[in-house]
Amino acid sequence: MPEDMVSWPADAARRYREDGLWRGLSLYEQLAQTASHWPDATAVVDGELRRSGRELQHEVDAMAAGLHRLGLRAGDRVVFQLANGLRLVEVFFALMRLGVVPVMALPAHRRDEIVHFVRASEAVALLVPESLQGHDYRAMAREVAQACPGLRHVLVDGRPEPGQVALEVLRMPGDAPPGPVPGADRVALMLLSGGTTGVPKLIPRTHDDYLCGCLHAAQVAGFGPQAVFLAMLPMAHNYTLGAPGFVGALACGATTVVARTTHAEQVFPLIERERVTVVSAAAPVLARWLASDWPERSDLRSLQVVMCGGSRLPPEQRRRVEQRLRCTYQESYGTAEGLLNMTRLDDPEFLRHHSSGRPVCPADEIRIVDADGNELPDGQPGELQARGPYTIRGYFRAPQADARAFTADGFYRMGDLVRRVDGYLFVEGRLKELINRGGEKVSCEEVESHLVVHPAVQAVCVVAAPDEVFGERVCAFVVARPGVRLELEQLREFMRGREIARFKWPERLELVDELPISPAGKVLRRALQARLAGAADEPTTAGSD
């Protein structure tokens, strides 16, 4: 492995290979196996474009040949910011064929973030769409290139500016990509660390470890040749990329259907037309869908599973997903650093609706510890730590971050407050997402799980509001259902009726049209807290103490 990547200990790596967890295949070789096993089956659908496994591999090879002719070589790093589509799939696997390492940026990232990714990774190329939702990525890329002299190429999916290159013209049909396929123990891609604060760190994932996580997640999700997976959230994000994502779907011979939006009016007709069986969604998206009448207006007979990742969906909303979308709900909880947990499709209702599942791989090691690092017995909440065949042992060139994020024996500190019961995890929130109200600790997630059941609430995020007396108070940011009037006292009476401790009741209400969402689909709590801090000297217009 590269010297700037923290590798697994030799004995662990040997065990993972002997146990067949690391299969010695690159991500490209896995795609080639799919094309060989199911050459004529539809692999990807993107609007009117349809590609079989054989056709997809041919396009991947043609793009790889063109990228090589441009000068990209194994070990080079590129910042990859393409939008959802067939082109994203094609270019991603072309890079896998060459051994070029993509840093998986998201369409929502902007200039300063992209500059950071380029500099931190020493990228030689930047791949962007022409434009998306009114944002001109070509102009942004021009500014990034000016700020990063080491950036040799700007590649555009669409019409480039002068000095930039159109991805389409690079395709060399009929040309075989030169050079050997990279070794499975090499870095395949770099993901971005999660969370809502600070600049993301780079997460190096090898072909061996990433494919291990993808395949185990795909098995738990029930993927196979008959599955039709809807890739709706950003496909460059780990969740839609490989948890199990389109990489897992293609590895199992399933069809990936690309969606360019999460809006119900576009997504539900697509589910009907393509007979989609599995959707991977996020909590804010599902909240919008459940507030609409599209579930009743649509033919959802093909839909079998709705998966939710990014943030925990409250039990009541899980029930509503199953009732109104007429499917099985599957909770997906994990991290780009590795560990993936999922509920099983045949789990009893209680586990499907309340738990965050259990690890997808038998070799995953997890432990729950207290503040001093002592392991806790089942049922007691503590910090979740994990290590295993697809959980990294360190970030890319970040020894200070490694010292904070990893234990001396190689466990990754997840930062989540979790209980374990009979192997299943019950996430109670982030360790730092607790409100300290005069010494009483209030879980933001717990309060949210109650408030979201209120008939007037469409979506909610609870954060700490600064307070001179108690230090912090409970503040609820709420998206109300259309046409419904909502006041703070209604929420407090609702909590009283549910017999919830008074110190957990919201003491401030902020009504908003929508909650700020990260590119990964998580609510940006810090953005809401910053809003409160900025309005500390102003009277609130949406609610009062």
Side-chain angles (χ1 to χ4, degrees):
M1 292 184 184
E3 292 182 359
D4 45 23
M5 176 181 177
V6 181
S7 60
W8 285 263
D11 59 339
R14 181 173 57 254
R15 184 172 69 253
Y16 296 151
R17 291 189 179 96
E18 290 174 351
D19 292 345
L21 300 170
W22 290 0
R23 303 168 62 218
L25 286 179
S26 72
L27 291 170
Y28 172 83
E29 289 171 317
Q30 180 62 65
L31 177 71
Q33 279 195 2
T34 297
S36 174
H37 292 160
W38 299 282
D40 300 317
T42 301
V44 180
V45 176
D46 179 12
E48 299 304 314
L49 301 174
R50 310 179 84 85
R51 296 291 182 269
S52 68
R54 180 192 293 114
E55 291 168 338
L56 178 60
Q57 186 181 3
H58 288 168
E59 292 195 2
V60 166
D61 288 345
M63 182 59 71
L67 292 170
H68 186 273
R69 181 169 295 189
L70 183 69
L72 296 185
R73 297 293 183 267
D76 284 344
R77 291 178 285 274
V78 302
V79 174
F80 185 103
Q81 199 187 16
L82 298 183
N84 283 14
L86 175 62
R87 180 58 52 80
L88 180 150
V89 178
E90 171 189 311
V91 176
F92 175 80
F93 281 106
L95 297 174
M96 297 300 102
R97 169 61 182 84
L98 296 176
V100 176
V101 179
V103 177
M104 305 301 289
L106 302 176
H109 286 130
R110 292 296 180 257
R111 178 191 179 279
D112 286 357
E113 294 158 315
I114 298 299
V115 166
H116 168 71
F117 302 151
V118 170
R119 289 174 175 170
S121 67
E122 298 180 351
V124 300
L126 170 62
L127 290 75
V128 296
E130 176 182 333
S131 64
L132 187 67
Q133 296 181 347
H135 181 66
D136 188 341
Y137 288 83
R138 299 167 302 178
M140 182 192 73
R142 180 183 355 108
E143 295 176 358
V144 172
Q146 292 170 352
C148 302
L151 196 66
R152 301 199 301 264
H153 309 287
V154 172
L155 309 179
V156 180
D157 184 13
R159 297 169 298 175
E161 287 189 351
Q164 301 173 352
V165 179
L167 280 168
E168 179 59 30
V169 305
L170 292 178
R171 296 176 68 256
M172 309 293 294
D175 280 14
V181 176
D185 62 343
R186 309 302 292 179
V187 174
L189 67 154
M190 292 191 190
L191 300 169
L192 304 177
S193 64
T196 57
T197 61
V199 179
K201 299 173 286 293
L202 304 184
I203 302 170
R205 303 292 300 268
T206 68
H207 295 269
D208 264 333
D209 90 73
Y210 201 66
L211 196 53
C212 174
C214 287
L215 293 177
H216 280 86
Q219 181 179 21
V220 174
F223 281 9
Q226 304 306 314
V228 180
F229 169 67
L230 183 67
M232 172 184 64
L233 299 175
M235 294 171 66
H237 185 271
N238 183 53
Y239 178 42
T240 318
L241 175 68
F246 71 83
V247 172
L250 290 172
C252 297
T255 299
T256 293
V257 176
V258 176
R260 305 294 184 105
T261 175
T262 61
H263 297 306
E265 58 268 28
Q266 277 93 37
V267 170
F268 279 78
L270 191 58
I271 293 173
E272 284 190 16
R273 186 177 76 237
E274 300 299 336
R275 312 309 297 160
V276 167
T277 63
V278 183
V279 173
S280 61
V285 174
L286 291 176
R288 292 199 304 270
W289 288 1
L290 293 174
S292 76
D293 62 353
W294 276 96
E296 286 70 36
R297 295 171 55 186
S298 307
D299 179 359
L300 302 179
R301 285 176 292 178
S302 67
L303 190 60
Q304 299 172 13
V305 179
V306 169
M307 187 185 305
C308 183
S311 59
R312 179 178 176 273
L313 196 68
E316 181 59 30
Q317 287 194 322
R318 299 188 196 190
R319 293 189 188 92
R320 294 180 64 208
V321 167
E322 291 195 338
Q323 291 167 358
R324 296 193 59 201
L325 302 185
R326 303 179 288 285
C327 64
T328 298
Y329 176 83
Q330 186 165 47
E331 179 82 349
S332 175
Y333 160 60
T335 177
E337 283 81 356
L339 178 67
L340 299 173
N341 302 272
M342 298 166 69
T343 53
R344 277 32 179 189
L345 300 179
D346 59 354
D347 276 342
E349 183 178 287
F350 175 80
L351 291 175
R352 294 199 316 274
H353 293 174
H354 291 268
S355 83
S356 294
R358 54 187 171 89
V360 299
C361 177
D364 285 320
E365 301 175 69
I366 62 172
R367 63 190 184 194
I368 314 296
V369 301
D370 63 17
D372 297 320
N374 301 310
E375 283 201 59
L376 296 169
D378 269 18
Q380 290 194 22
E383 181 188 27
L384 174 62
Q385 298 180 351
R387 70 181 182 187
Y390 60 94
T391 297
I392 65 168
R393 294 298 182 104
Y395 293 108
F396 178 72
R397 297 179 182 172
Q400 291 182 338
D402 289 346
R404 294 189 299 270
F406 296 88
T407 65
D409 54 353
F411 278 81
Y412 171 62
R413 297 183 172 103
M414 295 276 287
D416 290 321
L417 190 66
V418 170
R419 290 183 298 113
R420 177 172 52 186
V421 179
D422 296 331
Y424 279 77
L425 301 180
F426 293 78
V427 178
E428 299 190 352
R430 295 287 293 174
L431 289 175
K432 295 182 179 180
E433 288 174 4
L434 294 175
I435 299 171
N436 188 347
R437 187 187 185 279
E440 297 282 7
K441 303 300 193 299
V442 181
S443 166
C444 297
E445 190 164 354
E446 178 191 0
V447 178
E448 289 166 358
S449 69
H450 291 289
L451 295 182
V452 77
V453 182
H454 191 287
V457 173
Q458 177 173 312
V460 59
C461 180
V462 171
V463 301
D467 184 77
E468 293 183 358
V469 177
F470 289 95
E472 295 177 339
R473 288 181 183 264
V474 179
C475 175
F477 280 84
V478 172
V479 180
R481 294 191 180 281
V484 176
R485 178 178 175 81
L486 183 62
E487 296 181 353
L488 176 63
E489 195 53 38
Q490 293 175 258
L491 295 182
R492 293 171 64 82
E493 283 299 318
F494 183 73
M495 295 291 276
R496 185 200 304 274
R498 293 175 74 86
E499 299 185 357
I500 305 303
R502 189 182 181 89
F503 69 83
K504 298 180 182 180
W505 296 3
E507 297 169 279
R508 178 168 177 168
L509 169 64
E510 294 286 338
L511 294 175
V512 292
D513 293 333
E514 60 183 12
L515 297 174
I517 304 298
S518 76
K522 296 183 179 181
V523 177
L524 293 168
R525 293 180 187 273
R526 286 301 178 102
L528 297 176
Q529 288 176 319
R531 170 173 169 171
L532 289 178
D537 298 326
E538 302 174 10
T540 175
T541 58
S544 61
D545 291 348

